[in-house]
Amino acid sequence: MGWHGYLVLWCGVFGTVALVGYGMSLAGTTRAQRAVRAKGRIERVGVPRHGSSPSDGIAVVVSFQDPSSGQEFTVTNDGERGERISAAWTGREIGVHYPRGRPHAFRFANDLSEGGRGLGPPTFAVFLVYAGLVVVAAIDRGWPWALLGFCGPWALSAMYHLPGNVRDRNRRLDALAAMAPVPGRVVAVLKSVSTDDDGHTFTRVMPVVTFTTLDGTAVTAYCESGLRDPAGSQGRDVTVHYAPDDPAVFTLDVGAERRSWKRDMAVDVVGLVVVLAAAVVGMVAL
């Protein structure tokens, strides 16, 4: 079988995956659509043990009600229980989803939304089919087709999303200005050590901060950034700036956060210029 045959097989397999996936979505039978989604409430929050693994998430006790039976459940996030809970306080609402009729197989989700339609896998399969077609065109007709085929749609997508990204960045900058400062404290530093295939060791450090909002809500959260010498920060007093409508959104360094978002915007613009230029080069070279 020549390379054309392999590419035909590639496109046929992933095209079938896409058709089946979209058909299941239209029929409402994807895993995401069949899952029961309930609203959970955090009843109790534990403080992570200093030196433990950051992958475990903050220990919480959550209560939720099965919509079909009305039965109440009180559970914990011990073990593999969906998304990691990285910010918690008593009374916080989080998503709980599970297969219909199996509430004990629950998974947590930080997002309370109703969930998607299971279109991720078939859409990715369509992308793989498209990539195969571009490869065929590039091999048969020359490299300009690769530039146009890959960079053209990427540039169009970036131009479509750029105005929304700008508005989102502006909203985030406005939210930074509205954040409330309160005293906080680093209560633990979590650590995990991993080794790659070449024997190199990598250490990941995650400080945990606690703070109390102006309305008296006690928050425990992972601190992703903003701390100098995070490995030795246990017991350090800090100032936490949090969003009044969502204490899970906070920062220890407003200035650094503002510069980071502006830098991200500049990277987006430069990336758009680069892929657009590459698409134009491919089109001119045809």
Side-chain angles (χ1 to χ4, degrees):
M1 182 187 296
W3 66 266
H4 277 94
Y6 286 113
L7 284 173
V8 169
L9 180 62
W10 171 281
C11 293
V13 169
F14 288 109
T16 301
V17 171
L19 288 175
V20 171
Y22 286 127
M24 293 178 63
S25 179
L26 288 173
T29 58
T30 65
R31 183 176 181 181
Q33 291 170 314
R34 288 184 287 108
V36 176
R37 299 185 181 275
K39 183 183 295 184
R41 182 183 186 276
I42 295 179
E43 303 291 349
R44 191 163 65 251
V45 179
V47 177
R49 179 175 54 83
H50 179 68
S52 60
S53 172
S55 62
D56 296 336
I58 298 171
V60 293
V61 176
V62 176
S63 63
F64 68 93
Q65 184 181 59
D66 180 25
S68 59
S69 67
Q71 184 177 358
E72 292 278 354
F73 294 88
T74 301
V75 297
T76 67
N77 59 337
D78 292 337
E80 295 293 332
R81 289 299 182 180
E83 295 182 14
R84 184 187 69 180
I85 305 299
S86 57
W89 58 88
T90 301
R92 184 188 183 188
E93 293 181 340
I94 62 174
V96 181
H97 59 91
Y98 49 89
R100 191 172 303 277
R102 298 174 55 199
H104 292 290
F106 65 90
R107 293 290 184 272
F108 290 142
N110 288 290
D111 189 359
L112 280 171
S113 65
E114 292 298 321
R117 298 169 55 193
L119 295 178
T123 301
F124 183 64
V126 169
F127 168 76
L128 293 178
V129 172
Y130 176 77
L133 295 176
V134 173
V135 169
V136 170
I139 293 177
D140 285 347
R141 302 186 181 184
W143 60 267
W145 283 96
L147 283 180
L148 183 60
F150 286 116
C151 295
W154 190 2
L156 291 175
S157 176
M159 286 190 293
Y160 175 78
H161 288 99
L162 185 61
N165 290 341
V166 172
R167 290 192 296 269
D168 182 58
R169 292 291 194 283
N170 290 334
R171 284 194 298 267
R172 289 184 176 183
L173 291 173
D174 292 339
L176 272 180
M179 284 186 169
V182 293
R185 186 176 180 83
V186 180
V187 295
V189 176
L190 312 183
K191 183 173 68 173
S192 64
V193 180
S194 59
T195 305
D196 63 13
D197 294 336
D198 297 326
H200 299 128
T201 300
F202 300 91
T203 302
R204 181 190 178 202
V205 173
M206 178 67 69
V208 180
V209 300
T210 59
F211 60 94
T212 302
T213 64
L214 296 178
D215 62 0
T217 301
V219 179
T220 302
Y222 284 3
C223 183
E224 303 281 353
S225 61
L227 271 176
R228 294 182 179 178
D229 183 26
S233 62
Q234 185 189 20
R236 186 183 305 172
D237 292 325
V238 295
T239 298
V240 179
H241 301 260
Y242 74 95
D245 58 341
D246 184 5
V249 179
F250 69 92
T251 181
L252 303 187
D253 190 334
V254 173
E257 198 78 10
R258 184 180 291 111
R259 290 190 296 271
S260 174
W261 287 344
K262 290 182 178 180
R263 184 168 56 249
D264 289 346
M265 190 70 254
V267 170
D268 288 345
V269 173
V270 171
L272 170 60
V273 172
V274 170
V275 296
L276 184 59
V280 171
V281 168
M283 184 169 56
V284 171
L286 288 178

